[in-house]
Amino acid sequence: MKTPTSRVDKLLSSLGYGSRNEMARLGKAGGIVLDGVDLTDVSKRIPVTPDLPSRMEIDGEPLDPPQGIVILLHKPLGMTCSHKEDGALVYDVLPDRWRRRDPAISTIGRLDKETSGLLLMTDDGDLLHRVISPKKHVAKVYRATLARPLAGTEGALFASGELMLEGDDKPLKPALLEVVTPTEARVSVTEGRYHMVRRMFAAVGNHVEALHRERLGGLALPDDLAPGDWRLLDQAEIDAIFAGQP
């Protein structure tokens, strides 16, 4: 496959560093370095290779990944998966320039404001659609804290493929339930319906008081990643999402 190339000013502008004119001024001021040499002519075309962040510096910092950025966020309570709503947004924890990236960074699925845990964000549209595609059956695992003790019948009903949620016109696909304590359960689902886990427990006469996503496919939320913290995924971790999937 032929390696793509780009003008330096166009590349840096697409990554949110600033306008092309601003990149021209930055280059003339010695703020862009490639392979240890000041790159003053930002109209120059360069190969956009995976190793470019290790070879290029902007204002003394390594270049952001130029393509296929995948972010793992430990989403805290109170943040919304939106670009436009009022209040705290998941994008607020990222560098400001990442809001200006083109293609834009978007969440892979959503967690509601009162749900915490594993959330992925990316500018790779193909990856986004691959993760959320019903055909891929990527499991999402949640830990739910309940208002009332489990009755003991929920697991069979969730796994039956016959549970109907209020307002829906077709039953849920089979889901797995693991009892953790009398008022805690781990639920694995492969669909992404609105407030799905909360509505599942409402359908059996219970109420979810707290909900936390622990896993997406074969990728688990790291124990050492605190709420509000994030990091970039490497290719092995991205591949782990689909481990064991068709």
Side-chain angles (χ1 to χ4, degrees):
M1 182 181 296
K2 187 176 180 181
T3 301
T5 64
S6 175
R7 282 179 53 129
V8 172
D9 55 356
K10 182 178 180 181
L11 172 65
L12 297 183
S13 180
S14 72
L15 297 183
Y17 283 100
S19 68
R20 291 194 189 189
N21 286 338
E22 289 171 333
M23 293 304 95
R25 291 193 292 270
L26 183 64
K28 291 178 180 178
I32 303 174
V33 177
L34 179 62
D35 294 329
V37 179
D38 289 350
L39 200 162
T40 57
D41 181 7
V42 296
S43 67
K44 179 180 179 180
R45 296 191 71 87
I46 60 173
V48 183
T49 56
D51 67 342
L52 192 57
S54 67
R55 299 170 44 225
M56 194 170 192
E57 293 184 353
I58 310 299
D59 271 340
E61 297 293 332
L63 178 75
D64 292 336
Q67 53 193 212
I69 189 171
V70 185
I71 303 151
L72 169 62
L73 169 67
H74 185 163
K75 179 191 170 296
L77 297 175
M79 278 191 171
T80 304
C81 296
S82 171
H83 285 282
K84 298 180 179 179
E85 292 184 32
D86 294 334
L89 308 178
V90 294
Y91 302 99
D92 293 341
V93 303
L94 304 178
D96 286 344
R97 64 180 177 274
W98 287 13
R99 291 191 177 211
R100 300 187 292 270
R101 285 178 67 108
D102 183 17
I105 292 174
S106 300
T107 61
I108 299 180
R110 295 167 68 94
L111 295 179
D112 66 57
K113 189 174 183 179
E114 300 309 319
T115 299
S116 61
L118 189 159
L119 180 70
L120 298 184
M121 294 183 274
T122 188
D123 61 352
D124 184 338
D126 290 340
L127 175 67
L128 187 155
H129 290 295
R130 186 181 171 204
V131 174
I132 66 175
S133 170
K135 296 180 180 179
K136 291 299 179 182
H137 308 289
V138 175
K140 296 171 280 289
V141 180
Y142 297 85
R143 186 166 178 144
T145 301
L146 305 169
R148 290 174 287 280
L150 292 158
T153 56
E154 296 89 351
L157 180 57
F158 287 3
S160 69
E162 299 176 356
L163 178 62
M164 290 288 295
L165 299 182
E166 184 177 356
D168 287 0
D169 58 5
K170 61 181 179 180
L172 295 179
K173 292 181 179 179
L176 300 178
L177 181 141
E178 173 193 349
V179 176
V180 179
T181 73
T183 56
E184 283 187 295
R186 189 171 285 112
V187 182
S188 177
V189 299
T190 57
E191 296 180 272
R193 302 193 197 185
Y194 179 73
H195 287 179
M196 181 174 174
V197 175
R198 297 180 187 277
R199 294 166 67 208
M200 289 169 67
F201 282 105
V204 295
N206 214 326
H207 174 74
V208 174
E209 294 191 328
L211 193 62
H212 179 79
R213 184 153 73 186
E214 298 181 334
R215 180 178 291 270
L216 184 65
L219 180 69
L221 182 67
D223 292 335
D224 60 353
L225 195 67
D229 287 350
W230 60 272
R231 64 176 176 80
L232 296 178
L233 295 188
D234 60 29
Q235 189 58 52
E237 291 171 313
I238 296 170
D239 293 341
I241 298 169
F242 304 100
Q245 304 299 324

